[in-house]
Amino acid sequence: MASQGSIVERVRPLVEMHRGRRQAPVRFRPATWRPWLEPHRAANVLELGVLDATSTSGERLISRDDLAVARQALGDDPEGLRDLFVAVMIWGAGMTNGRAPRYTSAALGDARLPHVLAATRSAVCIGDLSRAYTEFTLRGVRRPFFTKWFAAVDDRDVECERALILDHRVFRSLNALGWSSKEAANSRRWSARYAAYIGAMHEWAGSLGVTAAWLEWLMFDLNGQVEAQ
C-alpha cells in the first residue's frame, strides 16, 4: 500500500487543478419516484430542492446543501428522519440509478427502519462510525447509499472527522492511488475499513488545505482517473 505521504503528493496536483470546482446539484424526476413513495406517505419529499427551469417534464434539482437544510430542520421527529433518508436516496440516485426508487420503497417497508435510522444517526453523531456501519441493515440499501445517509446526518463541528460517502467511484480512485482499506484498517471487517477510510481522508484533506467532504467529492468525480493531465 502506498504511504500516506506519497498519496498526498499524488493527489496534490489534482486538488490544485480542480480546487475551484464544486459539486453540482443532482437532477431527479418526481414522476418516477411518486408511485414508489406515495404508498408510504413520503411523496412530500419530492418538493425538496428547486424546479429545473430547463426541464419540460417537471424535473427538480437537489443539492448537498438541501440535505443539510433538511437535517437542521428535522429535530428528533421519526418522520423527519424518514424524510431525510428518502431525500438522501433521491440525491444519491439522481437520473442514473433506475433501481433506487424500488430499493427506497423496500427500505420504507422494512419494519426496522425507524430504529435503524435513529440508532445509526446517534452513532454517527458521537463519532462511532464503525458502529453505525455495523448497525445499518435495511432491505435494498447497501454501502454506497447508507454511507450517504451517514454523511447527511453528521452534524458535528467541522473540526471532527465527520462521516463521508464511500461508493464504487470513490473506491475506484482510492484503489488507483494505491490505497487499501483492508491494509489501512489491518482488518477484513468493513466497519473497521470504513473507519480507516474516514481517518485517512481527513488526514489527507488537512495536508492539502481542503475539506474532507470536498476531497471525497473529487475522488467520486475522478472515478479512478487520478493521473494529473
Side-chain angles (χ1 to χ4, degrees), residues 31-121:
T32 300
W33 285 84
R34 194 173 302 280
W36 297 98
L37 298 182
E38 283 185 338
H40 303 285
R41 299 181 179 179
N44 58 294
V45 180
L46 298 174
E47 300 302 315
L48 285 178
V50 297
L51 187 67
D52 180 1
T54 68
S55 171
T56 59
S57 55
E59 293 169 4
R60 297 182 70 83
L61 299 171
I62 185 171
S63 69
R64 206 161 184 163
D65 288 342
D66 292 320
L67 299 182
V69 170
R71 179 190 69 226
Q72 292 164 5
L74 65 83
D76 294 318
D77 176 22
E79 286 195 6
L81 279 180
R82 180 208 63 181
D83 288 353
L84 178 57
F85 168 73
V86 173
V88 168
M89 296 295 286
I90 292 171
W91 175 77
M95 300 285 285
T96 60
N97 191 326
R99 299 177 181 177
R102 173 160 52 91
Y103 291 158
T104 303
S105 178
L108 290 171
D110 192 325
R112 297 170 294 182
L113 180 76
H115 170 74
V116 168
L117 296 185
T120 55
R121 180 201 187 195

Side-chain angles (χ1 to χ4, degrees), residues 12-192:
R12 191 179 302 280
L14 295 167
V15 168
E16 294 308 317
M17 183 185 308
H18 298 282
R19 190 180 289 272
R21 298 178 59 219
R22 293 294 179 267
Q23 186 172 15
V26 172
R27 180 179 290 102
F28 72 98
R29 185 170 294 140
T32 300
W33 285 84
R34 194 173 302 280
W36 297 98
L37 298 182
E38 283 185 338
H40 303 285
R41 299 181 179 179
N44 58 294
V45 180
L46 298 174
E47 300 302 315
L48 285 178
V50 297
L51 187 67
D52 180 1
T54 68
S55 171
T56 59
S57 55
E59 293 169 4
R60 297 182 70 83
L61 299 171
I62 185 171
S63 69
R64 206 161 184 163
D65 288 342
D66 292 320
L67 299 182
V69 170
R71 179 190 69 226
Q72 292 164 5
L74 65 83
D76 294 318
D77 176 22
E79 286 195 6
L81 279 180
R82 180 208 63 181
D83 288 353
L84 178 57
F85 168 73
V86 173
V88 168
M89 296 295 286
I90 292 171
W91 175 77
M95 300 285 285
T96 60
N97 191 326
R99 299 177 181 177
R102 173 160 52 91
Y103 291 158
T104 303
S105 178
L108 290 171
D110 192 325
R112 297 170 294 182
L113 180 76
H115 170 74
V116 168
L117 296 185
T120 55
R121 180 201 187 195
S122 294
V124 166
C125 290
I126 63 170
D128 195 345
L129 301 179
S130 180
R131 178 162 68 88
Y133 193 104
T134 301
E135 292 187 353
F136 198 103
T137 306
L138 288 176
R139 288 198 301 270
V141 187
R142 297 182 181 274
R143 180 182 65 239
F145 278 89
F146 69 66
T147 57
K148 290 177 174 68
W149 165 251
F150 297 163
V153 297
D154 197 338
D155 61 358
R156 292 176 293 156
D157 293 339
V158 293
E159 292 80 11
C160 298
E161 291 191 353
R162 294 177 66 168
L164 301 169
I165 299 165
L166 182 56
D167 64 12
H168 302 304
R169 291 172 63 102
V170 172
F171 237 126
R172 198 169 289 124
S173 293
L174 294 172
N175 289 338
L177 289 166
W179 186 81
S180 165
S181 61
K182 183 169 65 176
E183 292 183 27
N186 193 28
S187 173
R188 292 181 176 272
R189 290 186 301 109
W190 274 106
S191 57

